[in-house]
Amino acid sequence: MAMSKGALIPEIHMESVQTVTPLRITEPRQARQVLTADPIGKGIFKHCLHILLYHAKASQDDARWFHVGWLKESLARALLEQPILAGRFREGDELEIVSNDSGIRLLETRIPTSLSEFLDFRGSRGRKDAEAELVFWKDIDEQNPQFSPLVYVQVTNFQCGGCSIGISCSLLLADILLKENFIKKWADIHNNMLSKDDLPAAPMYYFPNTKKCTDSSPTSIFSSNTSKKSSQTMIFTIPGEHVNSENDYALQFCVEEAERKFGTKMAPKWSLFLKTKSCNSIKVENFPKDGLIKPKSGLQSQIAVAIWDDFGTNDVEFRKGKKPALVSYWIGFVSGGLVMAMPSADQKGCPDEVKVIVTVPYQDEF
């Protein structure tokens, strides 16, 4: 099925929906505090990070390496290292995420076109909508957040034998995917697992639908809130001592640089997601743009522009020697603008450098 640049996006068909939990019960349970006064007003139940990896088929054996059943099993093993990704919000006076092993939602889908045709279409005017079909996200329920998954994985199979792996994660846990390199750890576990000589002929915990439904789609089973690409992102690396909620001149500099580059403005108030020094909490604030401290002179020389590739996802290998053909990143539900700051820690526990991700809406979306 050839796709012209004016064509509609081919319909995605659902194959299965499953839940992936850690391979065994994880103890002790991890917890992460969400420090904010008004979580629902700041949209934190909607903000998410999408990472989409495209894999072209290189040999007949690729179908085995990217089989959803094996991906599910290796993901269950990887979750033992970061069980909070399979966690949920815990009810109580304080907003908190706890690793209760409730699981990640895994979707298997197929699309009636080849990977090369899809990527050609992605490069056309329809690209904002096209990639949104290859990831799945459902907003966290504001009334009962304890029942909502915080991470979704969608594996889409193309007619040519290629596939895409789309990961959607609440922004409250996104640092685990980016700074903690969870996707690379998952890929390494997957690679090692499938390289073993005594691997069974078929995955043990794979239960696809026995009946194919030609008219089924993700939205016909449960609705997705995945948003099209309605924003642009610029990333900076800053010395850690310049970034905190009381000393925000570095953040102001980054915001102004992003606005200048993209020719658009952030809203009068925008959300700041600040990962604290402690791995057990993340702070969310609503920043008034006109209340920020003006950038100090000489600060520019200490700030470096970074790119998504710096997080290393482009180098992950679910099969040894086979990197993704392409990786896309975007943040969903940006609204008037968003800033995320993720410190790394040195051996003394002090932030050495901070990655600041500034996301501004397209002019026609604001």
Side-chain angles (χ1 to χ4, degrees):
M1 175 183 173
M3 295 174 59
S4 65
K5 290 192 175 183
L8 297 175
I9 303 167
E11 183 180 5
I12 299 284
H13 296 279
M14 179 69 68
E15 300 291 286
S16 66
V17 180
Q18 304 179 57
T19 298
V20 186
T21 58
L23 192 62
R24 56 181 178 272
I25 296 174
T26 57
E27 293 288 352
R29 289 189 172 184
Q30 299 176 0
R32 171 174 290 195
Q33 285 185 302
V34 181
L35 308 175
T36 180
D38 183 15
I40 297 177
K42 294 178 177 60
I44 64 171
F45 291 152
K46 297 182 178 182
H47 293 303
C48 65
L49 171 68
H50 300 294
I51 303 178
L52 181 58
L53 301 87
Y54 295 94
H55 291 275
K57 181 180 180 181
S59 68
Q60 291 297 325
D61 198 35
D62 279 358
R64 175 172 174 268
W65 284 78
F66 291 98
H67 190 286
V68 172
W70 293 127
L71 289 168
K72 177 181 179 181
E73 190 164 330
S74 60
L75 179 56
R77 296 172 185 270
L79 287 173
L80 292 174
E81 297 189 20
Q82 291 289 355
I84 200 164
L85 292 175
R88 296 290 188 272
F89 278 100
R90 178 159 57 189
E91 291 184 283
D93 296 333
E94 296 182 349
L95 199 59
E96 187 177 46
I97 298 171
V98 62
S99 59
N100 59 5
D101 298 340
S102 291
I104 286 174
R105 199 76 75 227
L106 173 66
L107 298 86
E108 180 182 11
T109 61
R110 57 184 171 87
I111 184 169
T113 190
S114 69
L115 178 58
S116 61
E117 289 168 344
F118 184 87
L119 292 179
D120 286 343
F121 182 80
R122 171 187 174 274
S124 71
R125 290 167 58 186
R127 65 186 181 275
K128 288 184 184 180
D129 297 320
E131 290 198 314
E133 296 296 317
L134 302 185
V135 294
F136 188 96
W137 172 255
K138 188 171 180 63
D139 291 343
I140 298 166
D141 190 304
E142 295 180 357
Q143 301 302 319
N144 298 290
Q146 69 273 17
F147 299 125
S148 297
L150 304 177
V151 180
Y152 292 84
V153 176
Q154 178 177 327
V155 179
T156 302
N157 298 305
F158 291 84
Q159 281 184 332
C160 60
C163 73
S164 64
I165 301 175
I167 300 121
S168 302
C169 176
S170 168
L171 216 56
L172 299 170
L173 297 174
D175 60 286
I176 297 176
L177 267 62
L178 297 173
K179 296 292 284 186
E180 301 297 329
N181 295 318
F182 175 78
I183 299 175
K184 183 180 186 305
K185 294 174 183 177
W186 173 22
D188 290 344
I189 291 172
H190 184 82
N191 205 336
N192 293 333
M193 186 181 74
L194 266 74
S195 298
K196 294 181 178 179
D197 295 332
D198 58 351
L199 189 73
M204 185 179 299
Y205 301 107
Y206 176 60
F207 306 103
N209 293 342
T210 55
K211 180 181 178 181
K212 303 293 183 182
C213 301
T214 57
D215 60 346
S216 66
S217 66
T219 54
S220 68
I221 297 177
F222 53 99
S223 60
S224 170
N225 301 123
T226 304
S227 59
K228 66 180 182 179
K229 289 187 177 180
S230 58
S231 61
Q232 304 167 93
T233 296
M234 194 170 181
I235 305 173
F236 304 86
T237 301
I238 301 177
E241 66 268 19
H242 292 306
V243 180
N244 58 68
S245 57
E246 288 78 33
N247 190 19
D248 49 37
Y249 55 83
L251 299 178
Q252 175 69 358
F253 176 85
C254 295
V255 169
E256 291 180 356
E257 284 296 298
E259 289 178 334
R260 185 178 300 110
K261 176 181 178 180
F262 298 127
T264 186
K265 295 291 185 180
M266 302 254 289
K269 287 187 178 181
W270 43 265
S271 296
L272 169 67
F273 286 69
L274 178 62
K275 183 68 176 62
T276 63
K277 298 178 184 179
S278 167
C279 62
N280 298 324
S281 64
I282 186 168
K283 191 174 185 179
V284 184
E285 298 185 36
N286 211 15
F287 262 67
K289 184 178 176 181
D290 56 2
L292 292 175
I293 301 171
K294 290 299 181 182
K296 290 184 177 180
S297 60
L299 179 64
Q300 183 175 1
S301 62
Q302 302 178 59
I303 296 178
V305 175
I307 56 176
W308 284 115
D309 290 359
D310 293 342
F311 292 110
T313 307
N314 294 62
D315 295 322
V316 301
E317 298 180 354
F318 280 92
R319 183 174 187 180
K320 189 174 181 180
K322 185 177 175 61
K323 295 179 181 180
L326 184 71
V327 180
S328 291
Y329 308 77
W330 73 98
I331 293 175
F333 190 72
V334 172
S335 188
L338 183 146
V339 176
M340 185 173 185
M342 298 182 296
S344 60
D346 62 18
Q347 294 180 349
K348 296 180 181 179
C350 300
D352 180 38
E353 66 175 28
V354 177
K355 283 287 192 296
V356 176
I357 301 173
V358 180
T359 303
V360 300
Y362 286 127
Q363 190 64 44
D364 57 351
E365 298 289 340
F366 182 55

